[in-house]
Amino acid sequence: MTTGDLVNIHPTELKFPFELKKQSSCSLQITNKTSTQVVAFKVKTTNPRKYCVRPNTGVVLPGDSCNVTVTMQAQKEAPLDMQCKDKFLVQSVIVSDATTSKDVLAEMFNKEPGRVIEDFKLRVVYIPANPPSPVPEGSEEGNSPRTDFPASQFDDHVSRTLEETNEKSSEAWSMIHKLTEEKTSAVQQSQKLRQELMLRRESSNKQSGGHSLVLMLLVGLLGCVIGYILNVRT
């Protein structure tokens, strides 16, 4: 807070959240410190095209305050290192009790003999539009905040966790048992098919051997008949 004999100015710096191509505003409060005098004020800036001040002039009754809104126009480029050289000047002077905001003129702030004018210079500061959120108190970097639970809730949570674990374990064992039975059945069917295939091969071999024996007997019988015929002719 900047203070003088006539008024208090708060804050001492005009802090604007800076974001490209977007307007930004901040507030300034002027408080009349006197108990009997009406004070007129005027707000000026070194860059009037960049800022809009409402109200830029006015009167403050004894012990009263006036809020001033300063709006920065949307900026197309960010300044180097986010530093701003713009300045504001707040002037205050004692006026008559009948003076209203419409009666405040620039000539009232001219320095003349017997007229006391207070000047307050304020600088402009740019701050990030979206500052990072602070780390919650009691938490370490990279860890979530610690939460304390009542003992009863903790016990209930542990019990539910154990029940869910047991249910999942039972389901897993049932699935393993089912898969084991299916594997055993598949092995038995495979062995049965193998035995049937071997039996069919043996039966086929026996049939082939019987055909060969009949063929040999026929050939032998045919040879005997031919030999008999030849003997009879001779």
Side-chain angles (χ1 to χ4, degrees):
M1 178 184 295
T2 300
T3 182
D5 295 332
L6 301 180
V7 297
N8 289 334
I9 307 296
H10 180 77
T12 59
E13 296 178 336
L14 296 179
K15 298 181 179 180
F16 292 91
F18 187 87
E19 191 171 358
L20 289 176
K21 300 181 181 180
K22 287 189 178 181
Q23 288 186 349
S24 179
S25 300
C26 67
S27 297
L28 177 68
Q29 187 178 68
I30 302 174
T31 303
N32 187 346
K33 292 177 58 179
T34 69
S35 58
T36 59
Q37 302 291 331
V38 177
V39 175
F41 70 87
K42 182 178 182 180
V43 182
K44 298 192 296 186
T45 177
T46 57
N47 196 342
R49 294 184 179 180
K50 185 177 178 180
Y51 301 95
C52 177
V53 182
R54 291 290 183 272
N56 61 341
T57 61
V59 295
V60 187
L61 299 177
D64 201 359
S65 299
C66 178
N67 290 323
V68 177
T69 301
V70 183
T71 301
M72 181 179 66
Q73 303 302 320
Q75 301 298 299
K76 297 180 180 180
E77 296 180 356
L80 184 64
D81 298 330
M82 294 294 287
Q83 299 296 321
C84 183
K85 297 182 179 180
D86 299 334
K87 299 290 189 299
F88 279 80
L89 176 66
V90 180
Q91 295 180 304
S92 60
V93 63
I94 296 175
V95 295
S96 63
D97 295 346
T99 304
T100 65
S101 298
K102 295 180 180 180
D103 299 328
V104 178
L105 302 174
E107 292 79 8
M108 294 180 177
F109 301 94
N110 293 336
K111 294 183 179 181
E112 298 178 357
R115 179 182 294 174
V116 178
I117 300 175
E118 289 184 348
D119 293 340
F120 299 95
K121 295 181 179 180
L122 309 175
R123 72 188 189 100
V124 174
V125 177
Y126 293 152
I127 60 176
N130 298 310
S133 58
V135 178
E137 184 178 356
S139 64
E140 298 179 354
E141 184 178 359
N143 295 330
S144 58
R146 178 181 176 182
T147 304
D148 295 330
F149 294 97
S152 59
Q153 294 183 4
F154 179 78
D155 292 340
D156 293 341
H157 177 71
V158 171
S159 299
R160 288 196 300 270
T161 303
L162 290 175
E163 291 177 359
E164 292 176 356
T165 303
N166 291 333
E167 291 178 358
K168 293 181 179 179
S169 178
S170 299
E171 293 177 357
W173 280 111
S174 299
M175 182 63 68
I176 293 174
H177 181 69
K178 183 177 180 180
L179 292 175
T180 302
E181 290 180 350
E182 291 179 355
K183 179 181 178 181
T184 303
S185 176
V187 171
Q188 292 177 353
Q189 291 180 359
S190 177
Q191 292 178 351
K192 184 176 180 180
L193 291 174
R194 186 178 301 174
Q195 291 176 357
E196 292 179 356
L197 181 60
M198 292 178 64
L199 291 174
R200 290 183 180 182
R201 287 180 178 178
E202 291 178 356
S203 176
S204 177
N205 292 334
K206 289 180 179 179
Q207 291 178 359
S208 299
H211 293 162
S212 300
L213 180 60
V214 171
L215 181 60
M216 291 176 63
L217 291 174
L218 290 174
V219 171
L221 180 59
L222 181 60
C224 293
V225 171
I226 293 173
Y228 176 75
I229 292 172
L230 292 175
N231 290 328
V232 169
R233 288 182 177 182
T234 55

